[in-house]
Amino acid sequence: MPPRRVITGRSQEPRKRFAEELRLLRTERGESLRKLGEVLGWDWSLFGKMESGQTLGSPEVVQALDQHYGTPGLLLALWELAVGDPTQFKEQYRRYMLLEAEAVSLWHYGVSVLPGLLQTEGYAREVLALGGARGKELDQQVEARTGRRQLLEGDDAPPFRALLAEAVLRTPLRDEREWREQLGYLLEVSDRSNITVQVLPQGSGLYGLVSTAVMFLRLLDGRTVAYTENAHRGELVEENGSVERLQRAYDAMRDVALNPVESRKFVLRMLEEVPCERSI
């Protein structure tokens, strides 16, 4: 089969295509970045970063651009494709990202850090920086990770259960303000009907996933796959027997975890223990 013709000649990569369309629409109007910022009420440097691919911006900004350029829904659709583009993740995670986007329900166990789907920008930045990411690479990884949170938003969002070892909530960020924001966000999302948060107390003793974080994805075809991860590597597990063993260990831990109401109270206590910002 001959290769498909590229009609526009512009990039077929969602993130690059979004940036190209933004730049093209502005230049066709003959507007400067400063003028665009003045008209829409955002700092003009934000639009420069969006056009260079450094950031995707927020849906509110993109909707304002759609209205400004008279392209109702076009830019927002391109933005959604860019946010969900698996190529922005490292190669070993891409197949998992595709499955995650298709999952009808998700269960997670966090042994040392919060799941990416529940991380604030500040939390994601500190965790990803520990892996060696810096500068523009770090910015893009943070944006890609926090962009995944939209998977759990909306009326048709899949149910998600997060089982957190107590150590996750007793390991703060270096920045107390960012840590307060993260705990507050955790409380906020745990109040959604599709999200359940449970804490596994330290006194529960040893358990089957003592050193392994895991995410279970229930897929449309009825299969369940698992993604296990430690500090050095991750692995997608699809063999039924292996997934079943992981799931039994997860169920045993959930049985001794705090219930959702008690878990919310636990998170609230952690939040109350974080020092408030000192007034100047």
Side-chain angles (χ1 to χ4, degrees), residues 126-242:
E126 186 164 322
V127 169
L128 291 167
L130 292 174
R134 298 289 185 274
K136 183 177 179 180
E137 179 191 8
L138 177 59
D139 291 340
Q140 291 185 348
Q141 286 189 26
V142 168
E143 190 167 50
R145 176 165 294 187
T146 54
R148 290 167 55 204
R149 295 186 310 197
Q150 68 174 329
L151 178 69
L152 301 179
E153 299 172 358
D155 295 336
D156 59 346
F160 176 61
R161 181 183 297 275
L163 182 60
L164 307 174
E166 182 176 332
V168 174
L169 299 172
R170 291 199 179 277
T171 306
L173 297 177
R174 289 189 288 268
D175 187 319
E176 290 176 349
R177 181 181 59 82
E178 295 286 4
W179 183 230
R180 286 187 63 85
E181 181 178 337
Q182 175 62 77
L183 291 174
Y185 181 71
L186 187 59
L187 281 172
E188 175 191 328
V189 297
S190 68
D191 203 33
R192 295 182 193 168
S193 59
N194 66 309
I195 297 179
T196 302
V197 174
Q198 289 185 258
V199 177
L200 183 67
Q202 191 70 37
S204 300
L206 296 174
Y207 40 85
L209 299 174
V210 68
S211 61
T212 304
V214 62
M215 176 76 89
F216 297 97
L217 307 176
R218 179 81 168 173
L219 305 178
L220 282 168
D221 61 7
R223 290 185 303 130
T224 297
V225 300
Y227 184 80
T228 60
E229 192 170 34
N230 57 34
H232 305 289
R233 66 188 297 268
E235 179 184 6
L236 184 65
V237 182
E238 300 185 71
E239 194 273 320
N240 289 339
S242 299

Side-chain angles (χ1 to χ4, degrees), residues 276-280:
C276 295
E277 294 183 56
R278 297 179 179 85
S279 58
I280 298 175

Side-chain angles (χ1 to χ4, degrees), residues 1-5:
M1 179 182 294
R4 187 177 66 178
R5 289 182 60 191

Side-chain angles (χ1 to χ4, degrees), residues 220-266:
L220 282 168
D221 61 7
R223 290 185 303 130
T224 297
V225 300
Y227 184 80
T228 60
E229 192 170 34
N230 57 34
H232 305 289
R233 66 188 297 268
E235 179 184 6
L236 184 65
V237 182
E238 300 185 71
E239 194 273 320
N240 289 339
S242 299
V243 173
E244 176 66 20
R245 284 190 291 274
L246 290 168
Q247 211 157 11
R248 287 180 182 177
Y250 183 90
D251 290 344
M253 293 157 56
R254 187 178 62 182
D255 288 345
V256 295
L258 301 179
N259 66 40
V261 173
E262 293 171 333
S263 296
R264 278 183 59 83
K265 291 178 180 178
F266 188 96

Side-chain angles (χ1 to χ4, degrees), residues 41 52 81 93 112 125 168 208:
S52 65
L81 290 172
Y93 300 133
S112 57
R125 183 170 297 278
V168 174

Side-chain angles (χ1 to χ4, degrees), residues 25-210:
L25 287 167
R26 181 180 59 79
T27 55
E28 284 181 342
R29 281 214 173 187
E31 289 181 325
S32 67
L33 289 169
R34 288 185 182 276
K35 179 63 176 178
L36 185 61
E38 290 173 5
V39 172
L40 296 185
W42 275 280
D43 191 305
W44 66 271
S45 64
L46 170 62
F47 299 111
K49 291 177 180 178
M50 291 171 71
E51 291 184 13
S52 65
Q54 295 180 56
T55 183
L56 292 174
S58 68
E60 292 78 17
V61 173
V62 178
Q63 285 178 319
L65 288 167
D66 257 333
Q67 184 175 357
H68 178 68
Y69 292 129
T71 54
L74 171 64
L75 292 177
L76 187 60
L78 290 174
W79 178 86
E80 289 175 343
L81 290 172
V83 168
D85 179 19
T87 63
Q88 64 189 311
F89 298 99
K90 292 182 178 180
E91 181 67 33
Q92 65 266 35
Y93 300 133
R94 291 180 188 173
R95 174 163 164 71
Y96 168 77
M97 290 293 109
L98 291 171
L99 293 173
E100 182 184 78
E102 298 172 358
V104 296
S105 61
L106 310 91
W107 307 271
H108 181 269
Y109 168 63
V111 64
S112 57
V113 297
L114 289 165
L117 290 171
L118 300 183
Q119 292 179 11
T120 60
E121 180 178 336
Y123 192 97
R125 183 170 297 278
E126 186 164 322
V127 169
L128 291 167
L130 292 174
R134 298 289 185 274
K136 183 177 179 180
E137 179 191 8
L138 177 59
D139 291 340
Q140 291 185 348
Q141 286 189 26
V142 168
E143 190 167 50
R145 176 165 294 187
T146 54
R148 290 167 55 204
R149 295 186 310 197
Q150 68 174 329
L151 178 69
L152 301 179
E153 299 172 358
D155 295 336
D156 59 346
F160 176 61
R161 181 183 297 275
L163 182 60
L164 307 174
E166 182 176 332
V168 174
L169 299 172
R170 291 199 179 277
T171 306
L173 297 177
R174 289 189 288 268
D175 187 319
E176 290 176 349
R177 181 181 59 82
E178 295 286 4
W179 183 230
R180 286 187 63 85
E181 181 178 337
Q182 175 62 77
L183 291 174
Y185 181 71
L186 187 59
L187 281 172
E188 175 191 328
V189 297
S190 68
D191 203 33
R192 295 182 193 168
S193 59
N194 66 309
I195 297 179
T196 302
V197 174
Q198 289 185 258
V199 177
L200 183 67
Q202 191 70 37
S204 300
L206 296 174
Y207 40 85
L209 299 174
V210 68

